[in-house]
């Protein structure tokens, strides 16, 4: 019996399995959305939806028609007859009554499945949502499955394409996210000729309207184009589902169903011809195509080759290709991994340009792809005639001929010489097998330091030196013993293998270091930007991170209130004095596309300008100028800059949204405060004014009919209400000074007993009939305070006790000294404070609700808190265990009070 083993590579990742199960459970729990998708009206979307709904009803599903538009079609109406219909809701708009989908009724009814026709419909004013697709989202969030219909011209991303085809701008659109949210999309298709026949028969519109439709939107050419758009959009959806399934199931092999083409460019001379040829192939197959270039860490290219490859990638983007710059030690592996990830069906490469011995020694890209590509088709193309003469100018993966630096070759020869000298000194003491190790160490050192070609040369020279100096007969390449031939062969193969492995390790280390540097830069940028609130600080941090990655001068341009760009942060030398660079930056902001150095748009500029595009548009422009005047920015750095730009744009948008939210909050708080102030003050102002007006009117209209007592009573009423009005205005002014910081505290040494006496004297009339007990220590020292303001605090507290306690109940004022401060308490025997609201009584305009409607604006206690805190003290309120409330405030005692001499005391 055989035993089947499972390799580590084929064993499924437990984390991925758990994530897959979590996604499946989440998808099973959420409500399902199915869209019946068509090219235009009349193809039968509503009919197909009703047919499937009746099938679901037959299986016992609770189905309700929320809104279904039959447009007078008899066959559609007959299908609707067997489906329960939810009554529509009447909405009054201007002089008419509109009938709309009843969202609240559907949520209350909660069917298992609801039919919602015309997803792109705009709801009548007064509805909860502006669009019907928003109603559908709320239904799905409530756990109700939805069937709906949609035409391709209503998809937001295709709106401009439809307008170019038909000449009609469709106003009702659905965002692509709503389409992507669908669990299933069923294409309802009808050939244009059949649809036109239905129009003529009056099965879509009434005859007069149908004739106008055929002459306008429903021309045959328009219908063909719309049908292609619908088919392509559905195919994109199916392709996305297929890729999601492959990732979910861990399928690495490509499925050649989409026909996507990948062309690999490396040789600058062949790249343009390969791009053009692939463009023709993709156009013939009507499929997507991608242009990719692989950068090998540690392998340098001349600057003119890097510039040419950047131009080729930009040229490919102009032709409609997607471009990608990959990084890895082995070109074929990176290409195949990328091809499998993107489900590529065909790979296009150029014919090998290396010599035969080079392909034998170092391998061939075509051979590696052919061996490992599996089901992916491989196309090997010859460069055009115009490119053939330049093919030798730049070979893939190595500098051009005649430009190879001699230093690594010389160093390799020197290493062999050093190894030979060391081996010569140890020749009599060590076995020849051990001497071979000395040469292998030299080969490894050259491979790690200088790369593949010098290490290969070092391997051959090491074998030759070992034969010439270490194997008898010495100083000759002749071999006395044929067994040494095997030794030489093994030594050469081992040296080549070791050098190859060392070079690969060096390249992998370089690739890992490069990825780590790029990931680290993005991490530092995200970390620095996440905790910054100000725009200026954010821009400075972003440019600081950019300077750590690029040896370039950078700047970020921001739009002002009028839309004009200004230098937000960075090096002003990036923008020339003539204003040309600023003009390029303005173009970038207006068109949301890169321009300037290294691009196909305005390439004469000396700086590269990238748009900082957020979710709400371009929020700024990132400008980069290489440190060298004739420098260029590599494609890899351009991609990194675009990634940095996306992060900066999101951070800027976050700061702007935070500022807008804060401004909205302040404005809302101001409106609330204004409304509260008006509602609170209006009654308290109107009441004393009405009393004063009534009393003075009575006095003016009196012709001797009032006796002296009545006249005096009216005059006292005027005086009391005027004092009340004066206190109200004074409180408002005091609160304004406190909040604006205009209140100034003048501390002097005063007696608390005198301050309490003045406050009680002012309240003498209000305290009539109430017992007031004052308990102050006999040895209470002078306190540093503003006596006028502290008197106002005591006045407000005692007056507050008078208002909120029954007549005749006592009021107590006491003081204690402790821990370097004086504490003053005002106690009453009233109903006390509502539990949990002891701190709220100090908020502006807050008043405790009491039977009898106690008047007041709710500013007395907030003013007390402001005055005490300005003195450096504290104020608080609490309930007494035996009933009533107590207000306590403290005043700090700083320094030594002046000594007060008693009467008759001799100084």
């Amino acid at each position: 019996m055989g035993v089947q083993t499972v390799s580590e590579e084929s064993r499924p990742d437990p984390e991925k399995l758990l994530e897959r199960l979590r996604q499946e459970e989440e998808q099973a729990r959420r409500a399902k959305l199915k869209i019946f998708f068509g090219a235009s009206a009349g193809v039968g979307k509503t009919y197909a939806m009703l047919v499937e709904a009746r099938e679901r009803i037959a299986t016992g599903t609770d189905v309700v028609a929320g809104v279904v538009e039959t447009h007078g079609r008899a066959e559609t109406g007959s299908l609707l007859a067997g489906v329960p219909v939810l009554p529509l809701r009447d909405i009054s708009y201007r002089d008419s009554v509109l009938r709309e989908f009843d969202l609240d009724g559907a949520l209350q009814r909660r069917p298992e499945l609801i039919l919602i026709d015309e997803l792109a419909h705009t709801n009548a004013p007064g509805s909860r949502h502006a669009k019907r697709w928003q109603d559908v989202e709320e239904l799905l969030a409530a756990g109700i499955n939805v069937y709906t219909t949609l035409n391709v011209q209503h998809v937001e991303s295709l709106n401009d394409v439809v307008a170019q085809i038909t000449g009609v701008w469709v106003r009702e659109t659905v965002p692509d996210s709503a389409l992507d949210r669908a669990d299933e999309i069923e294409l309802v298709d009808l050939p244009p000729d059949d649809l036109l026949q239905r129009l003529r028969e009056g099965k879509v519109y009434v005859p007069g309207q149908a004739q106008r439709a055929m002459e306008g939107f429903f021309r045959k050419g328009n219908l063909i184009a719309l049908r292609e758009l619908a088919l392509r959009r559905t195919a994109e959806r199916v392709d996305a589902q297929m890729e999601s399934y492959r990732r979910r199931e861990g399928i690495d092999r490509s499925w050649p169903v989409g026909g996507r083409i990948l062309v690999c460019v490396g040789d600058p001379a062949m790249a343009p011809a390969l791009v053009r040829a692939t463009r023709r192939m993709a156009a013939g197959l009507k499929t997507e195509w991608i242009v990719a270039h692989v950068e090998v860490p540690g392998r340098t290219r001349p600057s003119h080759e890097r510039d040419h490859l950047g131009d080729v990638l930009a040229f490919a983007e102009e032709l409609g290709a997607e471009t990608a710059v990959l990084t890895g030690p082995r070109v074929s592996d990176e290409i195949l991994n990328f091809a499998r990830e993107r489900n590529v069906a065909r790979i296009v490469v150029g014919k090998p340009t290396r010599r035969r011995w080079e392909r034998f020694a170092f391998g061939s890209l075509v051979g590696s792809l052919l061996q490992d590509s599996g089901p992916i088709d491989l196309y090997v193309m010859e460069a055009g005639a115009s490119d053939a003469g330049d093919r030798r100018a730049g070979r893939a993966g190595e500098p051009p001929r005649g430009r190879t630096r001699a230093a690594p070759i010389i160093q390799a020869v020197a290493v062999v010489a050093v190894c030979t000298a060391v081996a010569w000194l140890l020749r009599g003491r060590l076995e020849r097998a051990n001497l071979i190790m000395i040469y292998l160490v030299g080969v490894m050192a050259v491979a790690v330091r200088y790369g593949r070609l010098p290490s290969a040369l070092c391997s051959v020279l090491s074998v030759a030196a070992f034969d010439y100096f270490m194997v008898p007969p010495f100083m000759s390449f002749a071999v006395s013993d044929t067994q040494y031939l095997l030794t030489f062969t093994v030594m050469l193969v081992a040296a080549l293998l070791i050098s190859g492995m060392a070079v690969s390790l060096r390249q992998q280390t370089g690739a890992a270091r490069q990825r780590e540097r790029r990931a680290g830069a993005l991490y530092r940028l995200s970390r620095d930007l996440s905790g910054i609130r100000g725009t200026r600080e954010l821009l400075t941090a972003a440019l600081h991170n950019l300077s750590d990655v690029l040896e370039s001068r950078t700047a970020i341009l921001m739009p002002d209130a009028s839309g004009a760009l200004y230098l937000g942060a960075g090096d002003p030398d990036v923008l020339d004095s003539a204003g040309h660079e600023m003009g390029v930056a303005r173009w970038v902001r207006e068109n949301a596309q890169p321009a300037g150095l290294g691009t196909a748009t305005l390439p004469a500029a000396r700086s590269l300008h990238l748009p900082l595009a957020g979710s709400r548009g371009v929020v700024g422009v990132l400008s980069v100028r290489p440190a060298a005047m004739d420098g260029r920015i590599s494609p890899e750095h351009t991609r990194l800059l675009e990634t940095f730009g996306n992060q900066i744009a999101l951070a800027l948008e976050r700061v702007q949204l935070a500022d807008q939210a804060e401004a909205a909050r302040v404005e809302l708080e101001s409106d609330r405060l204004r409304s509260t102030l008006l509602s609170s003050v209006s009654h308290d102002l109107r009441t004393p004014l009405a009393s004063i007006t009534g009393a003075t009117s009575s006095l003016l209209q009196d012709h001797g009919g009032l006796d002296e007592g009545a006249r005096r009573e009216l005059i006292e009423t005027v005086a009391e209400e005027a004092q009340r009005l004066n206190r109200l205005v004074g409180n408002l002014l005091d609160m304004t000074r406190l909040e604006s910081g205009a209140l100034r505290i003048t501390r002097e040494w005063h007696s608390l007993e005198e301050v309490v006496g003045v406050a009680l004297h002012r309240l003498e009339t209000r305290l009539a009939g109430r017992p007031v007990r004052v308990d102050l220590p006999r040895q209470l020292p002078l306190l540093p305070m503003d006596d006028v303001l502290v008197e106002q605090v005591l006045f407000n507290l005692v007056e507050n006790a008078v208002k909120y306690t029954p007549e005749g109940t006592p009021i107590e004022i006491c003081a204690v000294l402790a821990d370097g401060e004086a504490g003053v308490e005002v106690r009453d025997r009233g109903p006390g404070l509502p539990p949990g609201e002891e701190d709220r009584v100090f908020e502006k305009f807050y008043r405790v609700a009491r039977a009898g409607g106690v008047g007041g604006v709710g500013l007395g206690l907030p003013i007390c808190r402001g005055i005490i805190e300005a003195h450096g003290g504290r104020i608080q309120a609490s309930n007494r265990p035996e009933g009533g409330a107590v207000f306590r405030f403290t005043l700090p005692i700083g320094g030594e009070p002046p000594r007060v001499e008693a009467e008759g005391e001799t100084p």
Side-chain angles (χ1 to χ4, degrees):
M1 179 182 295
V3 179
Q4 184 178 3
T5 61
V6 179
S7 65
E8 292 291 335
E9 291 79 5
S10 61
R11 183 177 293 115
D13 187 356
E15 296 294 335
K16 293 183 178 179
L17 286 176
L18 289 175
E19 179 65 18
R20 173 185 167 187
L21 290 174
R22 187 190 65 79
Q23 292 178 355
E24 290 178 351
E25 290 177 359
E26 181 180 353
Q27 188 173 7
R29 286 195 304 266
R30 71 179 187 180
K32 300 297 188 295
L33 171 64
K34 181 173 183 178
I35 297 178
F36 293 84
F37 192 57
S40 66
V43 297
K45 302 181 300 298
T46 306
Y47 187 91
M49 179 177 68
L50 290 172
V51 168
E52 186 160 336
R54 292 174 67 91
E55 293 175 357
R56 295 290 300 273
I57 292 174
T59 60
T61 304
D62 181 18
V63 180
V64 170
V67 53
V68 175
E69 303 290 348
T70 62
H71 297 289
R73 301 165 191 159
E75 61 273 17
T76 306
S78 63
L79 288 175
L80 182 61
V83 180
V85 178
L86 185 71
L88 298 177
R89 184 167 63 99
D90 293 336
I91 298 179
S92 298
Y93 179 65
R94 294 182 179 176
D95 297 332
S96 60
V97 177
L98 304 178
R99 309 204 70 195
E100 288 289 356
F101 168 61
D102 188 1
L103 177 58
D104 292 325
L107 293 174
Q108 185 177 5
R109 170 70 168 74
R110 293 192 66 84
E112 186 176 351
L113 173 64
I114 189 168
L115 311 181
I116 306 292
D117 208 355
E118 297 184 359
L119 184 63
H121 172 76
T122 300
N123 292 331
S127 302
R128 180 151 73 240
H129 299 300
K131 298 288 186 177
R132 185 168 288 171
W133 61 266
Q134 295 172 312
D135 295 338
V136 169
E137 285 190 344
E138 186 168 346
L139 291 171
L140 293 172
I144 301 174
N145 301 317
V146 178
Y147 281 0
T148 187
T149 62
L150 181 67
N151 290 330
V152 69
Q153 64 264 29
H154 296 296
V155 179
E156 177 64 41
S157 63
L158 301 177
N159 188 250
D160 55 341
V161 179
V162 173
Q164 294 175 13
I165 295 172
T166 64
V168 177
W169 279 97
V170 179
R171 300 301 178 187
E172 294 182 327
T173 58
V174 172
D176 289 57
S177 59
L179 198 63
D180 296 335
R181 164 67 176 83
D183 298 274
E184 184 179 355
I185 295 180
E186 180 176 322
L187 179 65
V188 182
D189 188 36
L190 192 66
D193 292 332
D194 294 348
L195 179 57
L196 291 174
Q197 182 62 33
R198 284 174 55 84
L199 276 167
R200 295 187 191 98
E201 294 173 356
K203 295 181 178 181
V204 180
Y205 299 122
V206 296
Q209 188 178 1
Q211 184 61 35
R212 290 193 300 271
M214 286 188 290
E215 295 173 357
F217 188 86
F218 281 81
R219 291 195 299 269
K220 184 175 181 179
N222 292 351
L223 295 178
I224 294 174
L226 292 175
R227 187 187 188 199
E228 181 179 0
L229 282 178
L231 291 170
R232 285 185 177 275
R233 189 65 178 84
T234 308
E236 291 174 4
R237 166 74 179 196
V238 174
D239 184 65
Q241 289 178 332
M242 181 190 63
E243 290 192 14
S244 175
Y245 176 81
R246 289 177 57 243
R247 287 192 299 269
R248 189 170 63 249
E249 298 295 331
I251 300 173
D252 294 331
R253 295 182 57 196
S254 296
W255 288 354
V257 295
R260 190 176 287 122
I261 303 174
L262 172 66
V263 55
C264 309
V265 294
D267 189 341
M270 298 182 65
L274 287 176
V275 169
R276 293 189 185 96
T278 308
R279 170 66 180 84
R280 293 190 294 270
M281 180 188 296
L285 296 173
K286 298 187 183 301
T287 187
E288 300 176 10
W289 59 299
I290 307 171
V291 178
H293 169 67
V294 181
E295 291 282 351
V296 178
R299 182 181 298 177
T300 59
R301 289 181 179 272
S303 59
H304 70 278
E305 288 191 10
R306 293 197 302 270
D307 296 343
H308 187 46
L309 283 172
D311 294 338
V312 169
L313 294 177
F315 171 64
E317 290 180 351
E318 289 181 5
L319 294 180
E322 177 187 348
T323 60
V325 178
L326 312 176
T327 303
R330 184 174 167 84
V331 177
S332 60
D333 291 345
E334 297 301 323
I335 291 174
L336 290 174
N337 290 337
F338 182 77
R340 295 187 183 103
E341 179 183 342
R342 299 301 304 274
N343 199 35
V344 169
R346 301 172 180 85
I347 296 178
V348 178
V349 294
K351 282 188 175 180
T353 58
R354 285 177 170 173
R355 294 182 179 88
R356 187 171 300 173
W357 71 268
E358 291 178 315
R359 295 198 298 271
F360 176 77
F362 305 114
S364 167
L365 174 63
V366 174
S368 299
L369 292 176
L370 189 62
Q371 180 179 355
D372 301 330
S373 59
I376 303 176
D377 295 334
L378 183 65
Y379 291 76
V380 182
M381 292 189 175
E382 175 65 58
S386 60
D387 301 316
D390 297 329
R391 193 180 307 160
R392 293 183 180 272
R395 298 182 180 277
E398 64 177 80
R401 285 177 173 273
R403 302 189 60 173
T404 304
R405 291 178 295 180
I409 304 300
I410 296 174
Q411 294 292 339
V413 174
V415 168
V416 174
V418 171
C419 292
T420 302
V422 174
W424 180 270
L425 295 175
L426 300 175
R427 185 177 59 176
R429 303 176 185 177
L430 298 178
E431 296 291 335
R432 291 185 176 87
N434 294 327
L435 297 179
I436 292 176
M437 298 298 104
I438 299 175
Y439 286 100
L440 293 181
V441 170
V443 170
M444 293 176 60
V446 172
V448 171
R449 181 67 178 84
Y450 298 109
R452 193 178 301 276
L453 183 59
S455 65
L457 177 63
C458 184
S459 301
V460 175
L461 291 179
S462 296
V463 173
F466 180 78
D467 179 20
Y468 191 80
F469 293 103
M470 306 300 162
V471 177
F474 302 112
M475 305 303 175
S476 172
F477 289 109
V479 179
S480 60
D481 192 347
T482 56
Q483 68 178 351
Y484 283 112
L485 296 177
L486 179 61
T487 302
F488 297 154
T489 303
V490 173
M491 179 179 175
L492 179 61
V493 172
L496 290 175
L497 289 176
I498 291 174
S499 65
M501 293 176 63
V503 169
S504 298
L505 180 62
R506 176 170 175 254
Q507 292 176 346
Q508 292 174 6
T509 302
R513 188 181 299 112
Q514 190 173 15
R515 287 193 296 268
E516 189 275 334
R517 184 167 58 250
R518 185 163 54 243
L522 290 174
Y523 166 74
R524 288 191 298 272
L525 177 68
S526 301
R527 180 196 60 194
D528 293 345
L529 298 185
S530 62
I532 297 178
R533 295 295 301 271
T535 301
R536 181 70 182 181
E537 294 80 4
L538 188 147
L539 298 180
T540 303
L543 292 178
H544 175 72
N545 282 273
L546 279 172
S547 63
D548 291 343
V549 177
L550 300 174
E551 295 181 359
S552 304
R553 289 175 289 178
T554 55
I556 296 180
L557 309 179
M558 298 292 295
D560 57 16
S562 63
L565 291 176
Y566 68 92
L567 182 64
D571 191 347
D573 292 339
V574 175
L575 307 174
D576 56 347
S577 58
H580 299 305
E581 298 295 334
M582 183 61 79
V584 178
R586 282 195 293 269
W587 186 94
V588 169
R589 180 175 180 270
E590 293 170 358
N591 296 272
Q593 295 180 2
L597 181 68
T599 68
T601 304
L602 304 171
R606 299 170 61 185
S607 301
L608 171 64
H609 302 273
L610 299 173
L612 300 178
S615 60
R616 302 189 303 167
V618 178
V619 297
V621 177
L622 173 62
S623 301
V624 180
R625 177 175 294 184
M629 296 302 294
D630 58 346
R632 297 289 295 272
I633 300 176
S634 66
E636 180 183 356
H637 280 161
T638 301
R639 297 295 191 280
L640 186 60
L641 280 173
E642 291 175 350
T643 305
F644 268 60
N646 292 334
Q647 294 291 327
I648 296 170
L650 292 176
L652 282 173
E653 198 170 53
R654 173 181 57 79
V655 170
Q656 292 174 358
L657 290 175
D659 293 341
Q660 293 174 7
E662 179 64 18
R665 188 193 66 79
V666 171
E667 183 177 357
L668 181 63
E669 182 66 20
S670 300
D671 291 341
R672 188 188 67 82
L673 183 62
R674 188 181 302 111
S675 301
T676 305
L677 178 62
L678 290 175
S679 61
S680 300
V681 172
S682 59
H683 174 75
D684 292 274
L685 285 175
R686 191 163 45 244
T687 300
L689 287 175
S691 300
I692 293 172
T693 302
T696 53
S697 298
S698 299
L699 290 172
L700 289 174
Q701 295 173 5
D702 176 38
H703 299 290
L706 294 175
D707 57 14
E708 185 63 26
R711 291 174 60 85
R712 183 173 182 82
E713 184 179 355
L714 289 175
I715 293 173
E716 289 177 352
T717 300
V718 171
E720 291 176 359
E721 295 300 331
Q723 291 177 0
R724 177 181 174 185
L725 186 61
N726 181 60
R727 288 195 302 271
L728 175 60
V729 174
N731 284 339
L732 291 173
L733 294 176
D734 289 343
M735 199 71 237
T736 302
R737 286 196 295 270
L738 282 170
E739 291 190 338
S740 63
L743 185 67
R744 296 291 181 263
I745 302 297
T746 303
R747 287 188 177 88
E748 294 181 358
W749 295 96
H750 292 281
S751 170
L752 181 61
E753 185 176 0
E754 293 180 0
V755 174
V756 172
V758 174
L760 293 178
H761 178 72
R762 289 175 57 191
L763 289 164
E764 185 176 359
T765 305
R766 303 287 304 276
L767 291 172
R770 283 181 180 267
V772 178
R773 186 170 66 87
V774 179
D775 183 12
L776 301 179
R778 296 182 59 83
Q779 302 300 325
L780 185 66
L782 300 179
L783 302 178
M785 60 181 170
D786 190 318
D787 60 331
V788 177
L789 295 179
V790 174
E791 174 195 324
Q792 184 64 38
V793 171
L794 287 168
F795 180 89
N796 289 350
L797 293 178
V798 175
E799 184 187 38
N800 192 72
V802 171
K803 287 193 299 184
Y804 286 93
T805 57
E807 295 183 5
T809 56
I811 297 176
E812 304 172 11
I813 302 175
C814 62
V816 294
L817 293 176
D819 299 330
E821 61 183 13
V824 182
E825 294 183 355
V826 177
R827 308 169 181 170
D828 61 51
R829 291 291 184 177
L833 302 171
E837 299 189 8
E838 291 84 354
D839 293 331
R840 293 196 61 194
V841 295
F842 295 102
E843 297 178 2
K844 293 191 299 291
F845 307 115
Y846 177 80
R847 291 179 292 185
V848 175
R850 290 286 185 235
V854 178
V857 184
L859 291 178
L861 293 179
I863 290 174
C864 294
R865 182 178 63 179
I867 293 174
I868 296 302
E869 289 179 351
H871 277 80
R874 305 179 307 278
I875 187 170
Q876 59 187 10
S878 61
N879 287 317
R880 304 176 68 180
E882 62 274 17
V886 56
F887 290 85
R888 184 177 189 274
F889 66 87
T890 61
L891 294 173
I893 303 175
E896 290 293 331
R899 185 170 179 270
V900 180
E901 298 177 0
E903 291 187 17
E905 183 178 350
T906 303

